[in-house]
Amino acid sequence: MTSRRAFIQIVPIATLSGFGLQAARAQGTLDEKDPQAVALGYVADATKADKAKYPKYAAPQACANCQLYGGKAGDATGPCPLFGGKQVAAKGWCSAYAKKAA
Ligand code: SF4
């Protein structure tokens, strides 16, 4: 019985995450001019982050080493849940950056 219950619990999660993945793929690439991107200071090249406005930025911060980044190591882009799953550049950065736990 326990395994059946576990199965019932797992199926909706698997379905949802599969859907989430498809939705993320359908989102396209985040544009720096997207209003939310502008609001959070997103740049596709982290070295171009507005250091006057965001003094917390420091190299080597980048999407690739941010906790929210959904791409794999070596990918040029990956989905970011903060921007509705749109693709952000691995070398990008925004002010919501949070260092990925080692
Ligand atoms: Fe990049 Fe992280 Fe900002 Fe998403 S939250 S755009 S992964 S720095």
Side-chain angles (χ1 to χ4, degrees):
M1 283 308 270
T2 312
S3 61
R4 184 165 180 263
R5 186 172 295 158
F7 178 75
I8 290 166
Q9 284 171 348
I10 287 165
V11 168
I13 295 165
T15 309
L16 273 179
S17 55
F19 178 77
L21 211 65
Q22 278 173 4
R25 282 197 189 116
Q27 292 299 323
T29 304
L30 179 65
D31 192 316
E32 286 182 0
K33 295 185 187 78
D34 179 292
Q36 202 182 342
V38 172
L40 288 169
Y42 170 79
V43 281
D45 178 352
T47 62
K48 296 203 171 75
D50 187 341
K51 290 153 196 104
K53 199 169 172 188
Y54 304 110
K56 77 165 209 168
Y57 167 76
Q61 290 180 8
C63 293
N65 54 48
C66 171
Q67 208 157 24
L68 293 170
Y69 183 67
K72 294 191 294 293
D75 284 355
T77 61
C80 176
L82 201 68
F83 296 102
K86 282 189 179 170
Q87 298 286 321
V88 296
K91 292 178 180 161
W93 184 87
C94 89
S95 60
Y97 173 85
K99 193 178 189 298
K100 193 184 280 184

